[in-house]
Amino acid sequence: MNKIIRYFSKRSSWSLPYFIFLLLFVVLPLLLIVLYAFRDNQGHFTVDNFVKFVTQKEALNTFIYSVGIAMVTTILCILFGYPAAYILSNSEFNKSKTTVLLFILPMWVNFLIRTLATVTLFDITGLPLGQGALMFGLAYDFLPFMIYPIYNTMMKIDKSLIEAAQDLGASRAKVFTKVIFPLSLPGVLSGVLMVFLPTISTFAISELLTMNDIQLFGSVIQTYIMQSDTMNYGAALSLIMLLIIGITSLFTGGDAENESPGLI
Amino acid sequence: MALAENKKEPEAHIIDVRHVSKWFGEKQVLNDVNLYVRKGEFVTILGPSGCGKTTLLRILAGFHMATEGEILLEGKDIAQTPPYKRPMNTVFQRYALFPHLNVYDNVAFGLKLRKMDSKEMDAAVRKALKMVGMTDYEERDVNSLSGGQQQRVAIARAIVNKPQVLLLDEPLAALDLKMRKDMQLELKDMHKTLGITFIYVTHDQEEALTLSDTIVVMNEGVIQQIGTPTDIYNEPKNCFVADFIGESNILEGTMLKDCLVRFMDKEFNCVDTGFDENEPVDVVLRPEDIYIMQRNELAEQFHGIVQSCIFKGVHYEMIVLTPDGYEIMIQDYNSFEPGTDVSLIVKPADIHVMKKERLCNTIEATVVDSDHIEMLGEKFQILPTDIEPGTEVLAEVGFDKIDLTDYQEDGTADGDVRLIIYKGNHYHLTIATDEGPYLYVDTTDVWDDGDLVGINIKPEDIRIKVKD
């Protein structure tokens, strides 16, 4: 009995529930994906699923298209999000925190609801659904995830640096290009990670906003996984996407971590 | 530099500050500041934190606008000139180096903005870095430098632009003592070599005395005194300056006639003239100016018993209690054990007599009814008066007639302790009331700077005078 009490009073043993949770809901599913990806319908080991991805153009094309859409979405988010974050972080323009809240507020509403609302919006105004609607919807959905990290980084810029730049002869425009912009880049990077990566794997948004016309990589994976005979191929596609996302975050993640901006 | 009123050669002034006041909302941080700076001078603005010295510097740099008054640079008003167009550069207290640039690019920042030829720029940057002793650090990341090194880079970044005026905002405050002393000497050398006008802000009186040609002492947004370091030290204009610069014994006294002053219930010869007969004054005795010796009744001016003796490195610091209850601080190379009966002598020339700024509190008030007035935003009871209600009056209250309470709720009005001056046998406190006006209180109770206090005044201690 004493042994048990001593075991549970140790701080390290408190992590046990989380450890079990991670094992059951993160590590095990990942292992299952790997397992399924390397098997065929009969359960034999194979690498055919990966060969199929490279040789059959269909999935590969969807993947490249998805990356393209994600890039456009990210660029749109930077174009709209950066000035918004700049204005929000500048006390001259933005006197209250309420405006910040208004920009962040959409994040509290579920993705699907916002997307359905966008569909309705397009219906009412008579605008056609399709690629344009998809890009609008994605940019709209992910904009707060771009604004917030940039805003956070800008808020952390020491105001005395701006004064020092002015003092050394920098006009308002020069202060921006020489000090604020370079110092806000870690925030932009963080925003890119939060917009670009989730957009590649998104599926519900593309289905709703294009009337199932355009399939993004996420939708393709979903379609394959839902059918039992193509489940292994779907698992392989998931694994490929995971690897690519993992590699991209490795490239960008190191720097973003040092500057500790925004949400992650 | 001196008060603007007695300027002699206006053509030599590089900066004129005229009647500058600054309000942040309801709070006045600068009150009618007047001063000028001569070309090439090393001027220090000295004062405790919150006295408005940094605000004044920031107005000069262009980061704040003065609410009233004008700032002239070589005779031209620069109030509307943005900071980036002023031929001045600032060394900031916390360095404000650009973290995304290396040492070289930090220093070159201003020159690049001016589109200087790259060869010329390279030479200038290297020269500036050499001047601050940071050669070979060009490629270093500024975050990898120590505080002292960062401050050197910040100084190089400012002087490389060859500004007409260099503004320094407590540049050494974040450094440790040894480093600070070294940097002080280097700054003084730099000032000589460069020939640039330096305006230096600090709260460190020793730093001010070491570095400056002229010191401007400020408190509560008001200039207290402007003068050379020796003037400020030897001839302080008021208790604040005497107390803030160096150690001092400040005592209440009466000027009996020219060159004769009475304090500690004794008469002393002094060298001060120009006071009214029997005018109340403040007397300053510097602790190093008082001679101390074993008791010898024939040779003494006054005497006392040593209470404490502390070794301070170069000298001993002793507190002597006189039979009349005055505590006097004395610094001497010889030590006297506590309990020793000692004789004390002070030379006439070492007694410094100052005019009192006020003899009692004078507060603006309004009569409410026959036995109440409103002052300091509250209703105070007074002895019955027949002055018409609504009349504006002045209420006079003696320094020792104000009662301070520990809890603000216990007082009719409230405020906080701003300045404490020990006057040998009592404390003279400056209390900032919430409504704005200052109250001056004599008390034997011990209070701390910043204490929140309640204020009570007995009805019989308030004298009412109708305003002229």
Side-chain angles (χ1 to χ4, degrees):
Chain A
M1 190 64 195
N2 263 348
K3 254 188 184 175
I4 296 171
I5 291 173
R6 204 175 309 142
Y7 178 76
F8 280 106
S9 59
K10 268 203 306 191
R11 185 177 276 210
S12 58
S13 41
W14 295 0
S15 63
L16 197 66
Y18 304 99
F19 184 71
I20 293 169
F21 178 87
L22 282 175
L23 211 62
L24 277 179
F25 295 103
V26 180
V27 178
L28 191 67
L30 273 175
L31 285 177
L32 282 176
I33 288 178
V34 175
L35 191 70
Y36 277 104
F38 284 100
R39 271 158 49 134
D40 60 18
N41 278 341
Q42 279 75 46
H44 301 300
F45 174 83
T46 175
V47 288
D48 280 355
N49 294 326
F50 295 93
V51 178
K52 196 173 162 194
F53 173 71
V54 189
T55 47
Q56 268 198 4
K57 290 282 176 268
E58 191 208 341
L60 192 63
N61 283 344
T62 317
F63 183 72
I64 293 167
Y65 181 76
S66 299
V67 170
I69 288 281
M71 278 165 111
V72 173
T73 306
T74 311
I75 291 167
L76 282 176
C77 281
I78 294 177
L79 286 180
F80 289 106
Y82 194 91
Y86 179 64
I87 290 167
L88 286 179
S89 68
N90 196 324
S91 54
E92 254 177 72
F93 305 126
N94 179 33
K95 305 272 184 217
S96 74
K97 291 265 182 246
T98 325
T99 338
V100 181
L101 189 71
L102 284 176
F103 270 91
I104 305 301
L105 207 62
M107 283 165 94
W108 298 356
V109 181
N110 183 283
F111 256 63
L112 280 177
I113 296 173
R114 271 187 285 157
T115 310
L116 284 170
T118 314
V119 173
T120 319
L121 199 73
F122 272 75
D123 274 348
I124 292 169
T125 49
L127 289 165
L129 293 172
Q131 186 171 290
L134 175 62
M135 283 198 257
F136 174 86
L138 284 172
Y140 165 66
D141 270 339
F142 285 99
L143 191 59
F145 294 95
M146 182 62 81
I147 293 178
Y148 198 66
I150 300 177
Y151 165 76
N152 245 5
T153 318
M154 283 185 174
M155 286 301 281
K156 280 192 209 134
I157 295 177
D158 189 349
K159 295 286 170 286
S160 69
L161 293 179
I162 293 164
E163 285 180 353
Q166 289 174 338
D167 188 74
L168 292 164
S171 59
R172 193 182 267 262
K174 287 281 182 197
V175 169
F176 179 78
T177 55
K178 297 268 180 184
V179 179
I180 297 176
F181 181 69
L183 287 177
S184 66
L185 283 180
V188 177
L189 201 64
S190 177
V192 166
L193 280 181
M194 301 200 49
V195 174
F196 183 74
L197 300 179
T199 352
I200 299 181
S201 59
T202 179
F203 61 93
I205 299 173
S206 61
E207 284 168 15
L208 288 169
L209 280 170
T210 63
M211 316 275 283
N212 261 337
D213 197 20
I214 298 175
Q215 284 213 319
L216 291 186
F217 200 57
S219 323
V220 175
I221 294 174
Q222 188 216 14
T223 323
Y224 284 120
I225 292 220
M226 294 302 264
Q227 296 166 355
S228 61
D229 56 330
T230 55
M231 195 164 74
N232 299 87
Y233 186 45
L237 292 184
S238 302
L239 193 62
I240 289 166
M241 193 179 70
L242 259 175
L243 282 175
I244 289 168
I245 289 178
I247 290 164
T248 344
S249 351
L250 271 186
F251 272 119
T252 48
D255 209 34
E257 209 173 299
N258 280 339
E259 306 289 336
S260 67
L263 286 166
I264 15 176
Chain B
M1 181 159 70
L3 282 166
E5 287 87 77
N6 54 12
K7 55 188 171 192
K8 285 171 198 154
E9 321 152 77
E11 69 279 1
H13 299 178
I14 187 152
I15 286 176
D16 276 287
V17 175
R18 290 192 187 151
H19 304 293
V20 164
S21 293
K22 173 75 186 171
W23 295 78
F24 286 124
E26 291 286 291
K27 195 179 174 336
Q28 185 168 24
V29 283
L30 291 177
N31 185 356
D32 194 27
V33 169
N34 286 288
L35 56 86
Y36 65 75
V37 180
R38 291 198 205 90
K39 212 167 224 164
E41 202 175 12
F42 197 128
V43 174
T44 300
I45 304 170
L46 174 67
S49 55
C51 73
K53 56 188 190 301
T54 296
T55 308
L56 180 57
L57 194 81
R58 291 174 60 81
I59 287 176
L60 290 175
F63 300 132
H64 288 324
M65 295 268 270
T67 315
E68 283 163 33
E70 51 185 2
I71 311 277
L72 306 183
L73 178 77
E74 296 191 307
K76 280 190 280 289
D77 192 355
I78 54 164
Q80 299 303 322
T81 314
Y84 66 92
K85 284 188 181 156
R86 298 190 183 194
M88 306 184 194
N89 286 113
T90 309
V91 177
F92 294 85
Q93 186 178 356
R94 279 178 299 118
Y95 324 128
L97 295 177
F98 302 116
H100 58 296
L101 301 176
N102 64 17
V103 169
Y104 184 95
D105 289 330
N106 260 285
V107 178
F109 193 91
L111 301 178
K112 276 184 184 163
L113 285 168
R114 279 195 265 149
K115 307 242 180 323
M116 192 188 241
D117 166 69
S118 70
K119 255 190 203 151
E120 210 180 323
M121 182 177 80
D122 195 59
V125 170
R126 282 175 204 285
K127 198 177 150 201
L129 282 171
K130 194 173 172 207
M131 186 138 205
V132 296
M134 291 293 285
T135 312
D136 296 338
Y137 284 86
E138 285 91 347
E139 302 304 322
R140 285 280 289 271
D141 181 1
V142 291
N143 295 317
S144 71
L145 302 178
S146 71
Q149 290 171 327
Q150 290 195 28
Q151 193 54 282
R152 284 165 195 272
V153 176
I155 292 168
R157 185 178 69 174
I159 61 174
V160 76
N161 302 293
K162 299 202 170 66
Q164 290 188 42
V165 181
L166 187 66
L167 307 172
L168 302 106
D169 183 9
E170 306 218 24
L172 310 182
L175 305 180
D176 63 54
L177 184 68
K178 183 87 177 63
M179 175 86 83
R180 203 155 63 219
K181 299 256 180 206
D182 292 345
M183 287 289 280
Q184 282 173 11
L185 296 177
E186 284 181 43
L187 273 175
K188 199 155 170 119
D189 280 347
M190 233 179 267
H191 174 247
K192 260 187 222 147
T193 332
L194 291 168
I196 298 174
T197 311
F198 277 40
I199 301 181
Y200 191 99
V201 161
T202 183
H203 64 268
D204 182 339
Q205 43 106 0
E206 203 189 316
E207 198 165 280
L209 293 172
T210 313
L211 291 171
S212 331
D213 298 322
T214 306
I215 297 177
V216 180
V217 186
M218 285 185 72
N219 189 37
E220 302 280 348
V222 179
I223 292 185
Q224 305 289 323
Q225 188 170 1
I226 299 177
T228 63
T230 36
D231 277 353
I232 299 265
Y233 189 83
N234 292 331
E235 304 285 329
K237 252 179 146 174
N238 56 35
C239 288
F240 174 80
V241 179
D243 183 63
F244 194 72
I245 314 281
E247 305 277 2
S248 51
N249 296 292
I250 302 171
L251 300 160
E252 310 265 4
T254 313
M255 204 66 187
L256 297 174
K257 57 180 188 187
D258 278 355
C259 299
L260 188 65
V261 61
R262 182 182 175 82
F263 59 91
M264 294 195 303
D265 305 321
K266 286 188 174 55
E267 287 173 19
F268 291 83
N269 289 313
C270 62
V271 293
D272 300 81
T273 56
F275 293 86
D276 292 339
E277 254 179 48
N278 293 321
E279 183 178 337
V281 290
D282 284 314
V283 176
V284 179
L285 302 176
R286 293 290 183 188
E288 70 273 19
D289 290 338
I290 303 171
Y291 296 91
I292 180 168
M293 65 200 97
Q294 287 288 346
R295 186 76 196 275
N296 176 354
E297 283 181 41
L298 295 172
E300 73 185 13
Q301 279 177 302
F302 56 114
H303 66 96
I305 308 283
V306 177
Q307 302 294 302
S308 67
C309 179
I310 299 164
F311 181 53
K312 287 273 182 172
V314 182
H315 57 256
Y316 294 88
E317 189 173 284
M318 288 159 280
I319 304 289
V320 172
L321 182 68
T322 71
D324 303 316
Y326 290 94
E327 281 184 318
I328 306 291
M329 182 199 283
I330 292 154
Q331 291 171 351
D332 203 283
Y333 299 124
N334 302 310
S335 72
F336 292 85
E337 286 296 308
T340 318
D341 202 3
V342 290
S343 291
L344 303 167
I345 294 176
V346 54
K347 287 195 287 190
D350 290 334
I351 295 174
H352 176 62
V353 180
M354 303 183 298
K355 263 194 191 319
K356 272 191 182 287
E357 285 163 286
R358 62 191 71 76
L359 300 172
C360 70
N361 291 294
T362 309
I363 312 151
E364 304 215 341
T366 314
V367 178
V368 177
D369 53 39
S370 64
D371 47 13
H372 284 96
I373 54 166
E374 193 185 303
M375 63 176 180
L376 309 170
E378 304 289 342
K379 234 174 168 184
F380 280 84
Q381 201 183 347
I382 52 166
L383 296 179
T385 174
D386 45 15
I387 300 173
E388 277 284 297
T391 314
E392 295 199 351
V393 293
L394 291 175
E396 290 187 339
V397 183
F399 296 138
D400 54 347
K401 302 297 186 198
I402 294 174
D403 184 30
L404 300 179
T405 61
D406 282 326
Y407 296 98
Q408 289 187 302
E409 308 78 80
D410 296 343
T412 315
D414 50 34
D416 59 295
V417 179
R418 285 293 171 84
L419 177 66
I420 304 164
I421 288 171
Y422 187 54
K423 292 202 164 176
N425 61 352
H426 67 271
Y427 295 95
H428 187 70
L429 308 183
T430 305
I431 312 281
T433 58
D434 289 354
E435 285 296 305
Y438 293 110
L439 286 182
Y440 304 90
V441 180
D442 281 346
T443 173
T444 50
D445 297 335
V446 179
W447 296 95
D448 280 324
D449 206 359
D451 280 353
L452 301 175
V453 293
I455 298 159
N456 285 320
I457 307 169
K458 290 200 192 88
E460 62 268 30
D461 292 330
I462 304 177
R463 284 190 308 278
I464 310 275
K465 274 196 340 195
V466 179
K467 265 197 200 173
D468 307 329

